[in-house]
């Protein structure tokens, strides 16, 4: 045991250091830099703010906030899953799914649900003298912000779906 410290090598070669900090090849960094990637990150961030602001209050006294919490938490989790799928390129590994159509349907449904959650949230904000008024009013602001982000994402998903050439005319008729 006396020679143990002398046999330990704590030096790392530059090649080992470089390998340690490489981004895995299955991560698509360009997705994060794209407009849909940035929009999805913003939807996740502001969606978190929406439900966290409501969760920090006694929202159970008003049943309308149950709907807002359900929509915001559910879409927040689904957006995180979608982000991971697109970041890791899992959409390319499942070519049987029409991903442009899946994205468009997801964003269109998220837009409708978040708009209804925003309206419910905005209508339910209590009077300014209520102690937690600021949290609930801020959650309504972030809910409309997330709704607008989902509208823009729906637009880009629609363009991706229509511009993808996935219709029957373009794929079945040989040129």
């Amino acid at each position: 045991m006396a020679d143990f410290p002398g046999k330990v090598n704590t030096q790392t070669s530059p090649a080992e250091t470089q390998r340690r900090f490489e981004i895995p090849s299955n991560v698509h960094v360009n997705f994060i830099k794209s407009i849909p990637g940035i929009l999805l990150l913003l939807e996740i961030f502001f969606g978190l703010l929406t439900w966290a602001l409501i969760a920090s209050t006694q929202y159970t006294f008003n049943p309308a906030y149950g709907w807002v919490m359900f929509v915001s938490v559910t879409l927040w989790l689904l957006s995180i899953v979608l982000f991971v799928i697109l970041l890791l390129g899992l959409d390319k590994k499942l070519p049987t799914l029409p991903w442009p159509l899946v994205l468009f349907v997801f964003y269109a449904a998220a837009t409708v649900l978040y708009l209804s959650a925003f309206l419910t949230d905005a209508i339910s904000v209590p009077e300014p003298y209520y102690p937690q008024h600021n949290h609930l009013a801020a959650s309504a602001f972030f809910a409309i912000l997330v709704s607008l982000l989902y509208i823009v994402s729906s637009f880009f998903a629609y363009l991706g779906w229509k511009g993808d050439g996935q219709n029957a005319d373009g794929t079945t008729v040989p040129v």
Side-chain angles (χ1 to χ4, degrees), residues 77-147:
L77 289 172
L78 289 174
S79 294
I80 290 173
V81 169
L82 181 63
F83 179 76
V84 169
I85 287 172
L86 296 174
L87 182 67
L88 297 179
L90 298 178
D91 56 330
K92 307 291 187 268
K93 294 180 181 177
L94 296 170
T96 56
L97 284 175
W99 281 101
L101 179 61
V102 169
L103 291 175
F104 175 65
V105 168
F106 170 75
Y107 285 126
T111 298
V112 171
L113 289 172
Y114 238 107
L115 282 173
S116 72
F118 158 70
L119 291 173
T120 305
D121 195 355
I123 291 170
S124 302
V125 172
E127 299 295 324
Y129 58 84
Y130 185 74
Q132 298 166 337
H133 167 79
N134 292 338
H135 285 91
L136 297 173
S139 72
F141 169 76
F142 288 120
I144 191 60
L145 188 61
V146 174
S147 298

Side-chain angles (χ1 to χ4, degrees), residues 10-21:
T10 58
Q11 299 287 328
T12 57
S13 67
E16 288 176 0
T17 306
Q18 185 179 11
R19 259 185 286 136
R20 188 179 313 156
F21 297 111

Side-chain angles (χ1 to χ4, degrees), residues 33-91:
K33 297 176 184 176
S34 68
I35 292 175
I38 293 168
L39 287 170
L40 189 54
L41 283 173
L42 290 173
E43 290 157 4
I44 291 169
F45 177 72
F46 290 122
L48 170 67
L49 287 178
T50 300
W51 70 259
L53 284 166
I54 295 173
S56 68
T57 66
Q58 296 175 346
Y59 69 93
T60 55
F61 291 119
N62 189 344
Y65 286 112
W67 170 250
V68 179
M69 285 293 288
F70 172 74
V71 169
S72 59
V73 171
T74 302
L75 289 175
W76 180 71
L77 289 172
L78 289 174
S79 294
I80 290 173
V81 169
L82 181 63
F83 179 76
V84 169
I85 287 172
L86 296 174
L87 182 67
L88 297 179
L90 298 178
D91 56 330

